[in-house]
Amino acid sequence: MDDLTIAKAAGLSGRIGRRGFLRSGLAGGVAAGALLGSAAARAQEAPPGPDPLITEVQDWARSLGDGVDAVPYGMPIEFESDVIRRNVSWLTADTTSSINFTPIHALDGTITPQGCAFERHHSGAISLAKPDYRLMIDGLVDRPLVFSYEDLERFPRTSGVYFLECAANTGMEWAGAQLNGSQFTHGMIHNMEYIGVPLKTLLDEAGIKPEGKWVYVEGADASSNGRSIPMEKALADCLVAFKANGEALRKEHGYPVRLVVPGWEGNMWVKWLRRIEVTDAAVESREETSKYTDTLADGVTRKWTWVMDAKSVITAPSPQMPIKHGKGPLVITGLAWSGRGAIKRVDVSVDGGKTWREARLAAPGVAMAVSRFYLDHDWDGSEMLLQSRAMDDTGYVQPTKDALRAIRGVNSVYHSNGIQTWWVKPTGEAENVEVS
């Protein structure tokens, strides 16, 4: 690369030539390197005296702790109070029809606790009790049916771990580095174990007429969010779910029943599922025409872009997870996923994509579920341009942002899966940037 372009986040975008960047980086590296060196030396020195945390009896050992019934439904300890969903106040006019973000920077493993899984509502989260719940199947069926919650519980059930990603996840990055933190750039995703009844089972119970080629699924909230799904997908792996991570769905995730559409954009996972109409064609609702379509540079708009392509992001280090321990052993970790299959491999670069090293997957990839990756790195305290690149078992490779924009332009807010870059400074702080 002859030129290194860095677009700083938070509205401080700009272009810096390679020499300019290297000069400023070298100067910063010398100063910060000295600081890191002294910090490392302090860490290796023997403490000047006895450590009271070892030699003295602490308050927590002087009295009894809480009894078993102090918190009937357990919550995280107060020391983890910063691990919460967050919104960006200027993204939407109010919080009723809005979005917040999963704190992926502060989590590890792959399963997202329901309590911090992101929310997206079109008319607010509603309270719908199980006794009041009804699910109707009508349209091109032999027997229109209505199910209560108790009816659904009597059908054979299955489970599966799937990611749910909003189609607009990372959408702010189409036009350049915008938001400082993986929670805000990539946090419209969660990964849970869902339990429920296969949609195929319920459709078979109603009997699909030969001309039935699509289903139109609709929610019970005031927005009546509805999406069309091809019958092939509806019969393949969609799930009418009533549990997640072993417990009832949370109110904000569609309690008591939602649809699970593995690998496809989150708007199709209709919450508070109330109706499934079998049709001979797509309904072409508002949510699949004026919304959730991708306008290209020439004005042509793509629709039916349901599948979420392979994507990854480094969650630590990142702007919300700076390096605090100085140079030496460093765990670089992140998440990868694909709506087309399982994650096969993730590569990590510390130099902005000039060289790559294969990361270690915590476990073999599972189709349409999040994978956790790690790269054990010996950090020398110098600047890094951290990137990750996911590959799935179809052979698809996560593209660079430039490659994506060359095909899609910058008009869309959906399906942004370009490679993310964090500029890690010698101080350990990180910033959202772009490298071209």
Side-chain angles (χ1 to χ4, degrees), residues 10 27 29 38 100 102 129 140 207 215-216 219 229 233 235 275 312 315 355 380 419:
S38 61
N100 60 23
T102 304
L140 298 173
V215 295
Y216 181 72
I229 300 174
K233 177 68 173 177
L235 298 178
R275 190 168 74 93
S312 68
T315 53
T355 62
D380 62 5
I419 291 173

Side-chain angles (χ1 to χ4, degrees), residues 80-421:
E80 297 294 319
S81 60
D82 63 325
V83 185
I84 55 174
R85 294 180 285 226
R86 293 181 174 86
N87 68 14
V88 175
S89 59
W90 50 265
L91 276 181
T92 55
D94 60 58
T95 58
T96 304
S97 178
S98 189
I99 191 83
N100 60 23
F101 303 87
T102 304
I104 56 174
H105 63 288
L107 303 177
D108 211 323
T110 58
I111 296 296
T112 311
Q114 285 205 73
C116 59
F118 85 98
E119 305 171 60
R120 171 68 170 114
H121 311 310
H122 292 259
S123 56
I126 61 172
S127 296
L128 175 54
K130 290 177 182 176
D132 299 327
Y133 178 76
R134 299 292 185 273
L135 171 60
M136 179 169 63
I137 297 181
D138 64 354
L140 298 173
V141 295
D142 298 327
R143 296 172 298 280
L145 297 172
V146 174
F147 303 93
S148 67
Y149 184 88
E150 291 74 17
D151 293 335
L152 294 179
E153 286 188 308
R154 298 177 64 187
F155 283 92
R157 66 190 71 171
T158 61
S159 65
V161 176
Y162 303 111
F163 76 82
L164 187 167
E165 183 182 18
C166 177
N169 196 22
T170 323
M172 290 297 295
E173 301 297 300
W174 272 111
Q178 299 289 324
L179 299 170
N180 232 5
S182 62
Q183 178 172 20
F184 305 112
T185 57
H186 292 74
M188 286 194 278
I189 189 169
H190 55 67
N191 190 64
M192 300 190 199
E193 182 192 25
Y194 287 97
I195 301 96
V197 181
L199 178 55
K200 181 180 186 304
T201 301
L202 301 181
L203 290 171
D204 287 345
E205 189 79 3
I208 305 167
K209 292 185 175 179
E211 58 269 38
K213 304 299 181 186
W214 292 71
V215 295
Y216 181 72
V217 294
E218 186 179 67
D221 60 316
S223 74
S224 296
N225 178 40
R227 293 295 302 265
S228 303
I229 300 174
M231 188 61 74
E232 183 180 14
K233 177 68 173 177
L235 298 178
D237 57 8
C238 290
L239 194 66
V240 177
F242 38 75
K243 297 287 176 63
N245 295 348
E247 60 180 0
L249 295 171
R250 296 290 174 88
K251 170 183 175 179
E252 63 269 28
H253 298 138
Y255 178 95
V257 175
R258 79 172 309 161
L259 189 66
V260 170
V261 190
W264 289 23
E265 59 189 24
N267 181 256
M268 307 180 82
W269 296 45
V270 170
K271 296 185 286 190
W272 311 290
L273 181 66
R274 73 170 177 185
R275 190 168 74 93
I276 301 168
E277 180 183 359
V278 177
T279 63
D280 61 355
V283 169
E284 309 254 10
S285 71
R286 171 183 178 274
E287 298 296 331
E288 52 200 13
T289 51
S290 69
K291 308 295 181 185
Y292 298 97
T293 52
D294 311 314
T295 301
L296 306 178
D298 60 2
V300 172
T301 297
R302 301 191 316 156
K303 66 176 183 178
W304 309 147
T305 52
W306 305 301
V307 180
M308 303 307 295
D309 285 317
K311 188 171 176 178
S312 68
V313 64
I314 291 173
T315 53
S318 62
Q320 294 165 288
M321 295 292 286
I323 302 170
K324 297 179 179 178
H325 53 61
K327 63 183 181 182
L330 169 68
V331 176
I332 299 172
T333 185
L335 301 171
W337 58 94
S338 173
R340 300 188 186 277
I343 290 298
K344 192 72 174 178
R345 169 174 170 165
V346 178
D347 290 336
V348 169
S349 175
V350 299
D351 55 13
K354 290 188 284 189
T355 62
W356 295 90
R357 292 165 59 191
E358 184 173 354
R360 170 171 51 90
L361 296 182
V366 175
M368 294 165 286
V370 160
S371 288
R372 168 69 61 178
F373 64 87
Y374 299 101
L375 181 71
D376 303 309
H377 181 63
D378 187 10
W379 186 44
D380 62 5
S382 61
E383 293 170 324
M384 296 186 288
L385 291 168
L386 281 182
Q387 297 181 337
S388 62
R389 180 178 65 187
M391 285 152 271
D392 67 21
D393 59 4
T394 71
Y396 180 93
V397 179
Q398 183 181 2
T400 64
K401 289 184 177 180
D402 284 347
L404 197 63
R405 289 171 183 145
I407 297 173
R408 304 263 187 88
V410 295
N411 292 330
S412 180
V413 297
Y414 303 114
H415 297 275
S416 172
N417 70 321
I419 291 173
Q420 175 67 42
T421 307

